[in-house]
């Protein structure tokens, strides 16, 4: 409708360009790691995928920044990046990779049965703190601690996990109500439950006593699942530190989280000097929080 026929590319060319766009595009994320756009970065399209990558990438507006996971690593076209968010299960990553990039990943992480089993696990009803991992080939669920067989079937366990996927709209249901309901059956190692807890930490940021209820689960499960250098870890620790600061600015817990946050942002965003020279808004915000906590405690 908008291009004259003599200027229009052929159907074959159109699909060729569209295919290149689909395979090579990157989703641009904002300061809180939210999706804000899509772009092509020609120099980076040569980098292949792994769920255990050599490099992590993030954005300062439309500029992509690559950071190495290893000290002193030199750039080469053979290094690997992850096309997928870190906290997805193997099947979720593979499904998206098949849909958008037309291949199936078989990296070391994708072959790790234990990680997915605990990420989707149920709570044991027969012993205290027991966990029932959910594996792809499970016919029943049994506790890793007391070996009791759960009354929850694998099919029901899959449905319970699917009902609280990240970003899901719960309609008229309050997120707190959903969390309280699911926490009765999902284990403390369940990634979906922990992600729901992280949403509640942010939601109740101005009510420190209430947010504290969800912080320990969020930290125990998510921060132990995400390696240093991944931006998601910095965002989660940032939220936990801000919540702890509002509750008790000088407590041992606040200082402990502040130290973890400093290590995380150094790995994911670089030094404070680098962040300020690049005018990196999120990194500057986090370093201001860290500096404020450290200065307050230093004076005491």
């Amino acid at each position: 409708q908008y291009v004259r026929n003599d200027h229009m590319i052929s159907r074959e060319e159109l699909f060729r360009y569209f295919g290149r766009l689909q395979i090579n595009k990157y989703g641009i994320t904002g300061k809180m790691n939210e999706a804000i756009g899509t772009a092509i970065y020609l120099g980076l399209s040569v980098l292949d995928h792994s769920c255990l990558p050599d490099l992590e990438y993030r954005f300062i507006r439309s500029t992509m920044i690559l950071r190495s996971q290893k000290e002193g690593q030199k750039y080469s076209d053979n290094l690997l990046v992850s096309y997928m968010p870190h906290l997805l299960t193997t099947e979720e990553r593979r499904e998206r990779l098949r849909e958008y990039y037309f291949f199936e990943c078989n990296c070391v992480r994708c072959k790790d049965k234990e990680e997915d089993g605990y990420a989707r696990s149920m709570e044991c009803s027969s012993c205290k703190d027991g966990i029932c991992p959910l594996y792809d080939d499970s016919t029943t669920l049994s506790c890793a601690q007391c070996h009791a067989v759960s009354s929850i079937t694998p099919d029901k366990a899959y449905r319970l996990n699917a009902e609280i996927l990240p970003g899901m709209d719960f309609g008229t249901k309050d997120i707190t109500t959903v969390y309280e309901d699911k926490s009765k059956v999902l284990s403390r190692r369940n990634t979906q439950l922990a992600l729901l807890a992280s949403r509640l930490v942010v939601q109740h940021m101005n009510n420190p006593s209430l947010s504290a209820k969800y912080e320990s689960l969020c930290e125990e499960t998510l921060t132990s699942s995400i390696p240093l250098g991944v931006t998601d870890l910095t965002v989660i620790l940032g939220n936990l530190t801000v919540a702890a600061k509002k509750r008790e600015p000088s407590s041992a817990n606040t200082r402990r989280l502040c130290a973890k946050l400093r290590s995380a942002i150094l790995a994911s965003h670089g030094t404070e000097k680098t962040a300020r020279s690049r005018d990196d808004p999120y990194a500057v915000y986090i370093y201001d929080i860290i500096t404020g906590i450290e200065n307050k405690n230093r004076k005491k």
Side-chain angles (χ1 to χ4, degrees):
Q1 294 179 17
Y2 298 98
V3 181
R4 289 197 339 238
N5 285 341
D6 54 334
H7 289 163
M8 187 63 189
I9 64 174
S10 70
R11 180 185 180 88
E12 290 72 23
E13 285 180 292
L14 178 61
F15 276 100
R16 188 164 68 249
Y17 291 136
F18 178 74
R20 288 177 180 173
L21 173 65
Q22 287 296 101
I23 292 171
N24 294 301
K25 69 182 180 182
Y26 282 87
I28 302 175
T29 53
K31 66 179 182 179
M32 296 301 290
N33 225 25
E34 72 279 15
I36 59 174
T38 302
I40 293 289
Y41 296 85
L42 292 177
L44 300 176
S45 62
V46 300
L47 300 178
D48 289 330
H49 164 86
S50 172
C51 300
L52 284 173
D54 303 304
L55 305 169
E56 291 292 333
Y57 64 86
R58 61 184 182 81
F59 296 90
I60 302 177
R61 290 168 286 279
S62 62
T63 300
M64 180 187 276
I65 306 293
L66 280 174
R67 288 191 65 80
S68 171
Q69 293 289 77
K70 299 174 184 175
E71 190 73 28
Q73 188 172 57
K74 292 185 178 180
Y75 177 84
S76 84
D77 292 349
N78 295 320
L79 295 177
L80 302 169
V81 295
S82 177
Y83 301 165
M84 293 291 117
H86 185 84
L87 287 172
L88 296 178
T89 63
T90 297
E91 186 49 44
E92 288 168 337
R93 296 194 306 272
R94 283 178 165 174
E95 184 177 338
R96 294 192 189 188
L97 288 167
R98 283 192 296 265
E99 181 179 355
Y100 296 113
Y101 299 100
F102 314 108
F103 72 89
E104 182 165 298
C105 185
N106 287 296
C107 70
V108 173
R109 188 179 172 211
C110 285
K111 296 176 181 177
D112 184 354
K113 181 180 177 181
E114 291 298 312
E115 180 183 327
D116 281 340
Y118 281 91
R120 301 176 298 202
S121 57
M122 301 290 112
E123 189 175 69
C124 178
S125 58
S126 300
C127 71
K128 185 180 179 182
D129 298 329
I131 293 174
C132 302
L134 172 61
Y135 301 117
D136 289 336
D137 57 356
S138 293
T139 55
T140 59
L141 302 184
S142 59
C143 178
Q145 184 167 299
C146 73
H147 307 296
V149 176
S150 173
S151 59
I152 297 174
T153 65
D155 284 345
K156 184 176 180 180
Y158 278 114
R159 286 199 302 274
L160 288 167
N161 277 279
E163 286 169 2
I164 54 171
L165 291 173
M168 183 172 282
D169 181 6
F170 299 114
T172 57
K173 284 187 177 180
D174 178 69
I175 299 179
T176 306
T177 304
V178 175
Y179 175 87
E180 294 298 337
D181 179 48
K182 300 303 180 188
S183 64
K184 294 173 184 175
V185 288
L186 301 181
S187 86
R188 67 184 184 279
R189 290 276 300 275
N190 187 288
T191 302
Q192 307 296 5
L193 185 66
L195 285 169
L196 198 57
S198 72
R199 289 174 65 177
L200 286 166
V201 169
V202 175
Q203 180 175 302
H204 297 298
M205 192 72 78
N206 293 320
N207 188 342
S209 60
L210 188 55
S211 69
K213 180 179 179 180
Y214 310 104
E215 288 169 24
S216 59
L217 174 67
C218 182
E219 182 182 1
E220 177 187 1
T221 302
L222 297 184
T223 63
S224 62
S225 304
I226 309 173
L228 276 175
V230 178
T231 304
D232 285 344
L233 178 63
T234 304
V235 172
I236 290 165
L237 282 171
N239 291 334
L240 291 173
T241 304
V242 170
K245 178 188 174 186
K246 287 189 175 187
R247 186 169 57 256
E248 297 177 285
S250 302
S251 71
N253 184 54
T254 302
R255 296 196 302 272
R256 180 185 63 81
L257 285 169
C258 182
K260 289 181 71 171
L261 179 58
R262 179 176 278 285
S263 297
I265 196 163
L266 185 63
S268 64
H269 291 68
T271 64
E272 182 174 0
K273 182 178 179 181
T274 299
R276 294 190 186 280
S277 67
R278 286 177 172 164
D279 192 25
D280 185 340
Y282 181 71
V284 170
Y285 162 71
I286 290 296
Y287 273 116
D288 284 345
I289 290 169
I290 291 171
T291 302
I293 292 172
E294 290 176 343
N295 286 345
K296 189 175 185 68
N297 284 286
R298 203 173 288 124
K299 289 176 183 176
K300 293 202 171 196

